[in-house]
Amino acid sequence: MPVYEYRCKTCDTSFEERRSATEASPAVLCPVGHSDVVKLISMFAATGRAEASPMTACGSPVPGSCGGGCACHS
Ligand SMILES: [Zn+2]
């Protein structure tokens, strides 16, 4: 699940939130509860280590267990 970085424009606090990309996004509130929040570009989310791994490209956590012809065998 990607982590996004947000900044509250009201109290100028930066914070991170884990969000599912497939779920509808409810309003993000800062730790204090302000709703005037902007999303920042997160280095962590941009690199996306886990998502970029060929082992998870086919949805199988174990390489080789998904049958031939899958990208995880290369
Ligand atoms: Zn705030």
Side-chain angles (χ1 to χ4, degrees):
M1 195 176 289
V3 177
Y4 296 108
E5 193 172 356
Y6 296 89
R7 174 174 283 272
C8 176
K9 291 197 279 184
T10 305
C11 60
D12 206 32
T13 298
S14 294
F15 59 99
E16 291 177 342
E17 283 253 332
R18 258 170 217 271
R19 319 227 98 194
S20 167
T22 53
E23 265 176 40
S25 299
V28 178
L29 299 178
C30 88
V32 185
H34 302 127
S35 59
D36 198 6
V37 167
V38 291
K39 189 161 143 186
L40 304 177
I41 303 298
S42 168
M43 292 304 290
F44 186 89
T47 30
R49 252 181 335 189
E51 279 97 334
S53 167
M55 278 163 42
T56 60
C58 59
S60 170
V62 181
S65 68
C66 54
C70 178
C72 76
H73 287 276
S74 60

